[in-house]
Structure formats: C-alpha cells, structure tokens
Amino acid sequence: MNGSALLPLLLLLSSLIPALLIFALREPQAVARNCINLTGAVVKLALVAGVLWGVYRGWRFEFAYELLPDVAFSLRIDALAMLFVTLSAVLWLLTTVYAIGYLAGTPNQRRFFGFFSLCVAATVGIALAGNLFTFFLFYELLTLSTYPLVVHRGNRASLQAGRIYLAYTVAGGAVLLVGIAWLYVLVGPVGFVEQGGALRGVSEELYPALRWIFVLLVAGFAVKAALVPLHIWLPMAMVAPAPVSALLHAVAVVKAGAFGIVRVIYDVYGIDLARTLDLGSGLLLVTVATIVYGSLRALQQDDLKRRLAYSTVSQLSYIVLGASILTPAAIVGALVHLVHQGVMKITLFFCAGIFAETLGVHKVSELNGIGRRMPWTMTAFTISGFGMMALPPTAGFISKWYLGLGAVQGGYDWVLFVLLLSGLLNAAYFLPAIYRGWFGRREGEWPHERYQQRLETKASLLVPPLVTAALTLFFGLFAGWVLSPLYWAELIAQLEMGR
Amino acid sequence: MSVSPEVWLLGVCALPLLAAPTVYVLGPRCLPLLPMAVSASVLVSAVALWFRFVEKGAWTYALAGWDAPLGILWRVDATSLLMIIATALVALLVALFSQEEEAAMGGSKRAVVFWPLFLFLLGSLNALFLSGDIFNIYVSLELVSLAAVSMVVLGGSVAALRAAMRYLLIALAGSMSYLLGVGLLYALFGTLDVGLLAERMEPVAAARFAFVLMAVGLLAKTALFPLHVWLPPAHSSAPTAASALLSALVVMGSMYWLLRLWLEVFAPIMPVAFAQLLGALGALAVLWGSAMALVQRRLKLLVAYSTIAQFGYVLLLLPLTQSMAAAAAWSGGLWLLLSHAFAKSAMFLAAGLILHARRRDYLSDVVGAASQLPMAVFALGLAGLTLMGLPPSGGFVAKWLLLEASISSGQWWWVLVLIGGGFLAAGYVFSVLKPAFRGPRGAAQFAPVPHWPQAVCLAMAVISVLMGLYPAPFLEWLALAAGGAGGGG
C-alpha cells in the first residue's frame, strides 16, 4: 500500500476523528468542541482540494482490505465520488458554522455535534465506497447516526418522527441488503466500474435474476431518495433542528439514496445492460409521479419547513429522472443537479431556520414584510427560490436545461412537459413566499423576536446562506469554468459513456 | 515461547477451578484482588494457546497421559480457542465491572459467594469448550449448570428463587436426556470420543435417536424455543453481573456443543427434514423471542428475551451446513455466538446500571438516561447493532454470511427470517433508546453512577463493533475448521 492509498482513508477520518473526539469531551467544553469541529471541516476541505487536482489529472486512489473472505472493504476515489465528497465537504463547513450559532446555549450539544460529524463521515464513506458492500456499510451507518439528530429535541413530535424515520430506512436497508447479498452470490464481488459497469458481459441466463435484483436495490435506495410512495418520513423529519434539516435532509441522507441509484445504474449495471434490460422506463414513471406529487403537496403546506421538504421530494427526483433516461445530456443534468439542488436547498433551509430562530416565524403566511426586517436573508431566499424555479441565470436553470436536452435525446419528449409543469408548480409555491416577504405589509409584532442588534441576525447564521446563495448564482453564471459542477458532470458523463 | 502448552491449558481450566474454593476460604480478605488476577491469568493463558495454535495448528491433549477411549481427551482447535478467548475476555470485563459491588451484585455481602461461583463457572466453561468426548461434555455441562443456577439464587428475591428452581429442574431434565443419548451411543459404537464417533458413525435409527435425545437436552439448556420458558425469569432476576455471564456465556456453552456434534458427527446421518425442522424451531425462536422482547415493559426481561431470538439465528446453521455453503454458514453462526456474547453482556451490564440508578428498570424509568448515563446508553446502542445485524458490528458480519449461505444453497426462506428478525430487533432496541432520548425531565431521580462501570459496558459494546471491522482471518480459521470436519453432506 503506497501513500496515495491513504488519501481516501484520510478523507473519511477527517470527520470520523472529530466525531470521536467530540464524544470524549465534556458538555461545557464548547470552545474546544467548536475548534475540533471547524478544524476537521477545514482539513477536509484542504484534502478535497488536493485530491480534486489529482483526480482532474486522471489519478485514482484506492484503499482496500479483505473484510470477509472474498468480500473487500474498499474506498476508492473517482470523479463521481469527488463530486459528492466536495459537495458535502463544502456544505459541512458552512453548516457547522451555522449550527454553532444556532445551538448556542442549548443542552446536549456534545451529542449533537458528535453525531453530526459521524453523519458526515458516513456520507463521505458512501461517496468513496468502491463496491456495493462498502456502500451498504456506510448507508446503514448514516441511518443510525441520523436518528439521534432527528430526535434531538426529545419531545413527542420528534420521537414520533424518529420512529417513522427508522421504520422506513431500516426496512429500506433490509431490502437493499438482500439485493446486494443476492448479487454477490450470483456474480461474486461487485466493484463499481467506471465505463461500462461491473456486470458487463454477464451471461444472459442471469438476466431475469438481475432484473429482480435491480428492483430490490432501487427500492432500498428509493426510501432515502424519498421516491413516492416511500417519502413519508422526510416531511415528518422536519421537526429536527434547522442545521439537520439543511445538511442531512436536503443533502446528505437524501442524496445518498439518489447517489446509490446513479452508482447502480452506471457503475454496476452499466448503460448498455441497463438499456438491454430496459431498467430505466419503470423508474422514469416513478420519478415523474414523484416530481408532480411533491410539488402539489408543497403547494398545500403553510409551514415553511414542510413546504421545503415536499419541494425536496420533488426536486430529488430530477436526479433519478436524469439517471434513468440513460442519455449523455440527461446524466449530466442528473449529476449537476445533485450539486445544484444541494446548494440551493441548503440555502432555503438556512433561511427558514433564521426566520424561526430570530423572529419566531414558522409559516409562509407569517412572512409578510420580513424582507424589510431581514433584507440579506430574504435576498438569499429569493435567489435560491428562483433557482428552484430554474430561472436563468441561476444554477437551477443549468440542471433543467440538460435534463430537458437529455429527455429529447432519449426520445422522451413528454418529459419536457413534466419539467415545465413542475417549474410552474415551483413558481406557484415559491413566488407567494417571496412576494409576501418583499411586498407584504406587516401588521403587529413578530411572533417571537429574539435578536435585536445592528445586524439582522447573528453573523454565524447569516454568512452561510449568503455564501451558498452566491454559489447558486456563480454556478449558473460561470457554468463552464473548471471548478463548476457542470464541468465535472460532463467529465463524469464522458467517463461513463466511454466516449 | 518455551513454556509448555500444558501449563496454559491448566491455566485456562484448572486454575479458576482451584481458585474458586481458595477464594471462598480466604473470604473478603482476598477480594476483589485474587479473582481479578485469576481471570486476567486465564485470558493470558487463552491468548498464549491461540498463538501456539496459529504457529503449530490444532492438537489434542490426553489429561494425565490417559489416551482415548479411556482417558479424558482435550481438543484444542480454532473453534474451541476462540470460544475460550471470548469467554475469558467477557469474564475479565464482568469482573472489572463487579468492582462496583452495589450495582453488580447488590451489595458487598454477596461478594463472598459471587466470586467463588464466578471462578467456578469460568473454569467449568473452559473445560466444556476443551472437551473431546461426550461424557466429559456431560460432566462439564453439569458443573456449568450448577454454577449458573446458584448465581440466579444470588438474586435473593422470591422471584429469583422461583426462577432458579425452574431453571434447575429443566437443566436436570436436559442432562438426563443428554445422558441417555450418551449411553445409547456408547452401547452402539463402544466409544465416547467425538473424533472416534465421527469415524464409526453409521446411518442407523438408534444413532439418530441418540442424537435427538442429546439435541433435546442441549436445546433445553440453551433455552431454545419451545424449551425457553425458564430463561427470561432466570436471567432477569439474577444479579446484574450474573445476568451478563448467564446470557453471554452459559447458553453459548451448550449451543456450541450442539453445533459441533452436529457438524462433526451427525450431519451426514440425519435426514434433511430433521435439519429443516430444527431450522424452523430456530426461526420460531427468532420471531417469538423478538416479539416477546417487543412487548416487555422491563428492561432486563427485554434483554433476556432477545437472547432467545439470537440463539434462534444460530440454529439456522443446522439446515445450512447440510449444503455447499457449509463453511460460510458455520463461520457466520459461530461469529454470531461470539459477538452476541460481547453485545449481550454489554447490554445486561448497561441495563443493570440503569436499574441501579433508578432502583427499577421499567422502560419508563429509562427516560432521560441518555443525558444522565451517556456511556451506558451509548453501549446499549452499539450493542444493539449486533442484535439488529446492522453494520458495523460482528452481528452484521454473521448475518451477511448466513444470508449468503441461505441464498447460495437455495434455502431462501431463511432470508425472510434473517431480515424479519433484524427488523423486530430494531423495534425492541429502539423501544429502549427512544425513552432514553426523551427530554431532560426526571433527570434528578438518577442516583449517581461512577464513570468506569459505564466505561466497561462501552468497552464490551465496542468489541462487538470491532468484530465487524476485521473478522476475515478468524472467519477463515473457522471456515477451515468446518471444512476439516467434513463440512456436512
């Protein structure tokens, strides 16, 4: 094992070690805790920057050992992995800053930050997993380490949400496990293979079984990716503190599901086999149903976080939709949306958390005039809202452009109407909130105003959404630049399509 | 190492057996130092034996020079050594925990009786694992049961006495049944040695009947469904340290021999339907034990019922070893036994701490434990991973291997059991964790608990997790042992 094999391990440890250190600290040691947390996040970003440069030059890194006879534990860095790792590393740093401000003065912070770092470690593990077995290990770790965060407040609603969350995700994990074990028994150890997939050239006798395995795998991932009808847990989990909703339920957990589906289609089955077995079309229908259903439900919600949660349900399916169309532009759209949706949705959740924390505003109907009181926050909210509607020049526009292009390439012209309809619905549930915020007239006091200083809210709460809102614009305006998600998505698509 | 291996063998077996009466005679003067030193030496001897095994391979040792078929023959191989190491490690950790006498056994008065029993149990368990003939197994099993029943009595309550009585009766009935089988086999084949029996075994009805008798006896002692009724009251009313030893080690002893006798001697002659029947009993144990655990209102009872469920999984080995996937099934099942030992003792000790801090152990008393006893609750959660079969844990590794064996041998119905059981386990594990995370109300009612007994629970739970991270070399030894024994049909 040479030095470069350690890189994937270091990426993992840069959040695992802080998690363990935080558990070892005592509750009142807030300064030490924050230092460890931020150091971990910064170290991880530095590592990511270095590795990105290497991957860009075509290097691959792998760390592996035999966990079970013939079954390896493998962490591998490839372009697709780095897309997800970079996303989570950047957002982890921002969310940590946000969470430190958000939770200041509340009990059980040790538990919170410990499990929070553990979740990030699990996410990085998912991204770097070099085979389905390793993927599963971290997938379940993510489930379990999120539970204490969902029930963090310890009240009846959060415990109930935690129960539902576990019931869904543990069941999903079990289905996934059966699928993976079956696949291993059938064809032996399955690593993720860029260009063509691991199952290329498998004998035709296995096709029926492989089709069933695909259903099991995707059903397992669909729970976390919140595909209808397995999405119920997501809106319920919104009782968690805002940083959890922001990073986990907009990015890490749900993306783990979507990312798993992408891995299975492209790196396990491979595009050719997926086309032969016609795996995409059933999935396509489910995603279309999810996109429309999520948006319709979002329209009915008055609670801001719940509205955002249903919007997540809908937006996530864009990724799976792009992955199931199986054309080059569609996969670019899917991958680029993986990043764009994360950046935009985390901004919205940050803003929702600020509204709730600073002014006690939880509902869309209470947003009247909030733009005058909190112009910066509202600006960030507006930019990301426009992104969700896919207006140019935001990042959301780029994703949708490629998805639409891919759908037409693949001969699914009708998907364009779905995208259009969803865009209209997105406008229908974001514009009223934005309109009330800027132009609504405020009557009376704010429900529960807690912060009155020169700045509109604590700096640690305000900076993260401003950064992510800026990124939303940046990714839209400079989509062709080498560090933009679009550039990487195209790079990965080239690798996967083998052009 | 120039020390002869006999010294280490006596170290794991004779030393604790001799130390037990010594500790009783010396009384409080030598407590807790002497038993601690003895259990540490047992662990050192066990590890030394393992290194010798890795170096030179398995060997047999004729006690006092009397060879089979007359004398007592000890067999030292990968499987028995792993059992002995796990037993020694669990015992040492329980001994460390028991320094906190109030929580471990309910007061220093009981320590005078507890420690001799503890050493006696440790020695007889190791004798059981080392045994090479079926009569010796009988004797060791009796010694183990005797120590175990006395430990339950140590609970002191009326419920404990009643539970101990029931345990004693069932254990004795089990021994009788087992002994009948032994007599029958001796009459048939003229030997008691396990290895010789395997060579001389013939597919005759009497031999099959003998195995049924022995299996029933061992199943009764392991508390396998439907002979499980004695276990929950016995394990839950015993003192905490004893509960951990009983649930982690004692039942593992009888299960171990059921599995070995099956694999090495009887698998080739028993009909497939019989194995399937025992597998079905295991499946019922998984479902029944988990369902009962789900409806319990008391923490220690819940943990005790989960033992029944976990041993149900292990019974699935019997049908699975009659296939091509014997090696995977065998190493998976034994790995489950081993990781269960650590996970279950961690759970019982953590539950005992909560019981100690609240004086009661209803699930409603667990409220707020996450902030009052964070390490104990963390240990419950980590140990829960093994029971649920979720990664990273030894339980997951075992479940993966059993899944693989079920799928590749085409016995897909066990897949449903493995998955459904995991789901039920998640239900009862989280029915403990859920109140633990409930708000800070009621926090004041926790009596203070020192840190280090909590740390011991956590250490045990961490071991059960580590067993899921680097099991490959041990699993290969186990798989080799299965292959060497003929690997079933």
Side-chain angles (χ1 to χ4, degrees):
Chain A
M1 193 185 303
N2 55 20
S4 66
L6 284 178
L7 272 175
L9 202 60
L10 284 176
L11 274 177
L12 186 69
L13 291 180
S14 60
S15 30
L16 190 61
I17 290 178
L20 298 178
L21 287 178
I22 288 168
F23 282 127
L25 288 176
R26 280 178 295 113
E27 181 68 30
Q29 294 172 305
V31 177
R33 186 167 54 227
N34 295 342
C35 283
I36 292 172
N37 222 326
L38 290 171
T39 312
V42 171
V43 167
K44 169 162 277 164
L45 262 186
L47 279 171
V48 165
V51 173
L52 272 179
W53 181 76
V55 171
Y56 174 68
R57 311 217 10 198
W59 299 346
R60 296 292 181 267
F61 309 96
E62 178 158 14
F63 168 84
Y65 75 92
E66 200 172 52
L67 185 84
L68 294 172
D70 298 331
V71 179
F73 173 90
S74 144
L75 295 174
R76 210 163 51 95
I77 296 182
D78 58 18
L80 181 53
M82 282 319 286
L83 190 77
F84 197 16
V85 170
T86 312
L87 174 72
S88 53
V90 172
L91 296 186
W92 183 37
L93 178 60
L94 292 171
T95 315
T96 305
V97 172
Y98 185 87
I100 288 171
Y102 187 89
L103 289 170
T106 60
N108 293 327
Q109 286 194 46
R110 172 175 76 160
R111 190 170 86 201
F112 181 89
F113 283 103
F115 280 109
F116 202 76
S117 306
L118 202 57
C119 282
V120 176
T123 311
V124 171
I126 286 173
L128 296 180
N131 55 31
L132 273 174
F133 181 82
T134 316
F135 193 103
F136 180 78
L137 295 188
F138 287 107
Y139 193 77
E140 292 295 66
L141 183 64
L142 184 61
T143 301
L144 296 168
S145 52
T146 338
Y147 174 80
L149 299 175
V150 174
V151 302
H152 181 71
R153 293 218 166 103
N155 53 26
R156 191 168 291 277
S158 56
L159 287 168
Q160 171 71 5
R163 202 173 62 87
I164 300 286
Y165 174 63
L166 271 183
Y168 273 83
T169 45
V170 170
V175 172
L176 187 61
L177 177 62
V178 174
I180 295 174
W182 191 0
L183 191 61
Y184 269 61
V185 169
L186 211 60
V187 296
V190 184
F192 296 137
V193 178
E194 285 175 301
Q195 296 187 355
L199 296 178
R200 188 156 64 173
V202 80
S203 97
E204 274 190 40
E205 294 163 23
L206 300 179
Y207 281 3
L210 285 178
R211 223 177 245 130
W212 278 110
I213 291 172
F214 183 79
V215 172
L216 286 175
L217 295 177
V218 168
F221 288 129
V223 173
K224 281 212 173 95
L227 291 184
V228 167
L230 303 171
H231 66 286
I232 313 284
W233 64 270
L234 182 58
M236 289 192 74
M238 288 302 130
V239 294
V244 176
S245 309
L247 183 62
L248 296 171
H249 296 132
V251 185
V253 173
V254 292
K255 288 286 158 61
F259 185 76
I261 294 179
V262 172
R263 276 285 196 209
V264 164
I265 295 181
Y266 288 90
D267 292 344
V268 176
Y269 280 76
I271 291 182
D272 296 332
L273 189 59
R275 284 207 186 107
T276 318
L277 296 176
D278 192 26
L279 300 176
S281 40
L283 194 54
L284 186 65
L285 291 179
V286 177
T287 56
V288 166
T290 309
I291 289 173
V292 176
Y293 177 82
S295 295
L296 286 174
R297 287 302 301 269
L299 208 51
Q300 302 163 351
Q301 309 298 324
D302 190 27
D303 186 286
L304 185 55
K305 274 179 88 178
R306 281 184 74 87
R307 182 173 289 199
L308 293 178
Y310 275 109
S311 155
T312 305
V313 170
S314 165
Q315 293 275 338
L316 269 173
S317 272
Y318 285 171
I319 302 170
V320 186
L321 176 110
S324 57
I325 287 178
L326 302 173
T327 58
I331 183 65
V332 171
L335 294 174
V336 82
H337 200 57
L338 191 100
V339 177
H340 287 168
Q341 189 269 349
V343 174
M344 297 189 296
K345 188 47 69 68
I346 206 170
T347 317
L348 292 167
F349 274 112
F350 280 153
C351 294
I354 292 177
F355 294 151
E357 228 9 50
T358 320
L359 302 175
V361 170
H362 294 276
K363 294 186 172 152
V364 177
S365 53
E366 296 168 339
L367 283 174
N368 283 353
I370 209 165
R372 209 157 301 158
R373 168 71 174 78
M374 314 187 84
W376 287 107
T377 315
M378 198 57 209
T379 306
F381 188 89
T382 309
I383 291 173
S384 317
F386 284 163
M388 287 292 168
M389 291 180 254
L391 295 181
T394 61
F397 171 70
I398 306 282
S399 334
K400 237 173 194 182
W401 173 263
Y402 276 91
L403 284 174
L405 205 65
V408 175
Q409 272 181 0
Y412 299 104
D413 292 359
W414 55 274
V415 169
L416 282 184
F417 290 100
V418 177
L419 292 177
L420 191 67
L421 174 67
S422 165
L424 287 175
L425 286 170
N426 267 288
Y429 61 80
F430 274 116
L431 281 179
I434 294 169
Y435 176 83
R436 277 172 189 273
W438 290 115
F439 305 108
R441 184 179 288 277
R442 183 78 219 165
E443 278 155 14
E445 296 283 299
W446 295 104
H448 187 78
E449 190 162 355
R450 264 176 275 197
Y451 190 87
Q452 285 170 311
Q453 308 272 323
R454 198 164 53 82
L455 265 176
E456 60 190 56
T457 185
K458 286 185 211 166
S460 55
L461 295 185
L462 188 57
V463 172
L466 289 179
V467 173
T468 47
L471 283 178
T472 306
L473 281 178
F474 184 83
F475 289 159
L477 288 170
F478 299 95
W481 192 49
V482 61
L483 274 180
S484 80
L486 180 62
Y487 185 90
W488 279 85
E490 287 185 325
L491 184 76
I492 297 165
Q494 273 176 21
L495 286 171
E496 299 294 357
M497 295 291 175
R499 283 185 302 178
Chain B
M1 232 179 293
S2 58
V3 188
S4 100
E6 282 84 29
V7 174
W8 301 125
L9 278 175
L10 294 178
V12 295
C13 189
L15 176 68
L17 285 178
L18 289 176
T22 315
V23 167
Y24 188 71
V25 169
L26 289 179
R29 270 170 294 172
C30 67
L31 297 179
L33 214 59
L34 186 57
M36 287 295 299
V38 171
S39 32
S41 327
V42 171
L43 182 59
V44 171
S45 315
V47 172
L49 285 174
W50 175 260
F51 279 116
R52 155 136 180 143
F53 162 75
V54 171
E55 201 182 320
K56 301 204 170 148
W59 75 95
T60 56
Y61 173 64
L63 211 60
W66 287 84
D67 211 342
L70 278 177
I72 294 179
L73 205 65
W74 276 353
R75 300 202 318 171
V76 190
D77 57 19
T79 324
S80 62
L81 279 178
L82 284 176
M83 291 288 152
I84 289 172
I85 292 175
T87 303
L89 193 50
V90 168
L92 182 62
L93 286 168
V94 169
L96 266 177
F97 178 91
S98 304
Q99 306 305 306
E100 173 68 18
E101 288 169 340
E102 203 58 50
M105 57 199 92
S108 53
K109 275 185 191 154
R110 290 186 186 151
V112 193
V113 189
F114 173 79
W115 286 112
L117 283 176
F118 168 86
L119 293 169
F120 187 66
L121 180 67
L122 182 56
S124 30
L125 271 170
N126 285 341
L128 177 63
F129 293 130
L130 285 173
S131 294
D133 72 77
I134 50 177
F135 184 74
N136 200 0
I137 295 171
Y138 164 77
V139 176
S140 322
L141 270 176
E142 284 300 274
L143 297 181
V144 169
S145 297
L146 216 60
V149 171
S150 319
M151 278 195 162
V152 177
V153 176
L154 210 57
S157 61
V158 178
L161 283 176
R162 197 174 292 151
M165 199 61 199
R166 207 193 303 186
Y167 183 11
L168 183 66
L169 288 176
I170 294 190
L172 279 179
S175 301
M176 287 303 118
S177 174
Y178 178 85
L179 194 59
L180 276 177
V182 171
L184 203 51
L185 283 181
Y186 189 68
L188 279 172
F189 301 108
T191 181
L192 295 168
D193 183 72
V194 175
L196 289 178
L197 272 176
E199 283 169 23
R200 300 182 190 172
M201 189 50 59
E202 280 163 34
V204 289
R208 293 201 182 104
F209 183 61
F211 179 67
V212 172
L213 284 173
M214 292 166 83
V216 168
L218 291 169
L219 288 174
K221 287 193 184 250
T222 317
L224 274 158
F225 189 87
L227 302 168
H228 64 281
V229 282
W230 62 268
L231 185 142
H235 285 191
S236 66
S237 55
T240 295
S243 307
L245 295 170
L246 294 176
S247 232
L249 304 179
V250 171
V251 280
M252 181 168 88
S254 41
M255 189 68 189
Y256 168 81
W257 272 112
L258 178 65
L259 298 179
R260 279 202 87 149
L261 288 177
W262 169 260
L263 182 82
E264 293 175 12
V265 184
F266 293 101
I269 67 155
M270 295 308 280
V272 173
F274 180 75
Q276 290 290 329
L277 174 74
L278 281 183
L281 280 183
L284 278 174
V286 169
L287 299 178
W288 177 257
S290 309
M292 288 304 285
L294 259 178
V295 299
Q296 294 307 313
R297 291 280 140 261
R298 282 189 45 216
L299 189 51
K300 279 183 84 174
L301 267 174
L302 182 152
V303 181
Y305 269 106
S306 99
T307 303
I308 295 174
Q310 294 291 313
F311 278 88
Y313 289 121
V314 182
L315 210 52
L316 298 185
L317 261 192
L318 271 56
L320 289 175
T321 41
Q322 276 190 332
S323 70
M324 294 305 291
W330 176 254
S331 45
L334 285 175
W335 203 245
L336 185 62
L337 275 185
L338 294 168
S339 15
H340 172 262
F342 289 99
K344 189 47 62 70
S345 44
M347 285 192 106
F348 258 123
L349 296 187
L353 283 180
I354 292 172
L355 171 70
H356 173 62
R358 293 298 302 261
R359 299 273 157 234
R360 301 192 314 167
D361 71 337
Y362 286 89
L363 287 183
S364 55
D365 297 319
V366 181
V367 171
S371 43
Q372 294 299 309
L373 301 168
M375 278 197 279
V377 172
F378 208 57
L380 277 175
L382 285 184
L385 291 180
T386 278
L387 302 193
M388 295 185 272
L390 289 181
S393 73
F396 168 69
V397 166
K399 188 175 262 186
W400 172 272
L401 289 169
L402 291 175
L403 264 180
E404 213 180 81
S406 323
I407 297 174
S408 65
S409 66
Q411 306 181 32
W412 52 267
W413 44 95
W414 307 129
V415 172
L416 302 178
V417 177
L418 289 164
I419 295 301
F423 206 59
L424 289 171
Y428 63 72
V429 168
F430 278 95
S431 74
V432 178
L433 292 182
K434 190 176 142 184
F437 278 107
R438 190 131 31 107
R441 279 178 299 115
Q445 296 147 15
F446 277 83
V449 172
H451 275 295
W452 54 266
Q454 290 196 60
V456 173
C457 304
L458 195 54
M460 284 179 154
V462 166
I463 292 174
S464 76
V465 167
L466 290 180
M467 290 179 74
L469 292 183
Y470 194 56
F474 304 104
L475 292 174
E476 273 162 20
W477 284 118
L478 287 174
L480 270 181

